[in-house]
Amino acid sequence: MTYVVPEFFRRENMKEPTEQEKELDKKIDEAIRKYQEHFPEDNGLMTEAWSLPPKEWPDIIERCITENKTMWELFGEEYDPEADY
């Protein structure tokens, strides 16, 4: 069986992130680190499946810390350890 890798997934076709994208990544990483320090009992902060634009993540994570609410509590959802998030 042969797999075809789409052109946009090929290393040689990857574009270098812009300075703005790099800066946003740093802000997100720092916000996640602070969240994990503030909520060590939370099993990690999943951002991959969020439907929110990445530029909103640092502010939302900061809001969690400020209001002392986990992401689940902030969005009013119950965490289900059996679910495949």
Side-chain angles (χ1 to χ4, degrees), residues 14-28:
M14 290 177 59
K15 66 174 188 155
E16 191 66 30
T18 65
E19 288 303 315
Q20 198 172 23
E21 291 168 330
K22 289 178 186 177
E23 189 60 36
L24 178 58
D25 285 345
K26 287 180 188 176
K27 285 181 180 179
I28 292 170

Side-chain angles (χ1 to χ4, degrees), residues 3 31 83:
Y3 294 99

Side-chain angles (χ1 to χ4, degrees), residues 11-82:
R11 273 197 185 110
E12 62 270 17
N13 295 331
M14 290 177 59
K15 66 174 188 155
E16 191 66 30
T18 65
E19 288 303 315
Q20 198 172 23
E21 291 168 330
K22 289 178 186 177
E23 189 60 36
L24 178 58
D25 285 345
K26 287 180 188 176
K27 285 181 180 179
I28 292 170
D29 289 345
E30 180 65 16
I32 291 172
R33 184 191 62 73
K34 287 180 181 178
Y35 180 93
Q36 291 170 334
E37 287 177 0
H38 190 80
F39 298 107
E41 71 285 351
D42 199 0
N43 292 330
L45 182 60
M46 298 182 314
T47 57
E48 293 86 358
W50 289 3
S51 61
L52 301 167
K55 65 182 179 183
E56 293 183 20
W57 296 354
D59 293 335
I60 291 170
I61 294 170
E62 184 61 36
R63 186 173 159 206
C64 288
I65 295 168
T66 303
E67 295 182 18
N68 198 33
K69 294 181 178 180
T70 66
M71 191 65 65
W72 300 102
E73 293 169 331
L74 186 71
F75 290 129
E77 296 185 27
E78 293 289 323
Y79 176 73
D80 181 359
E82 301 297 318

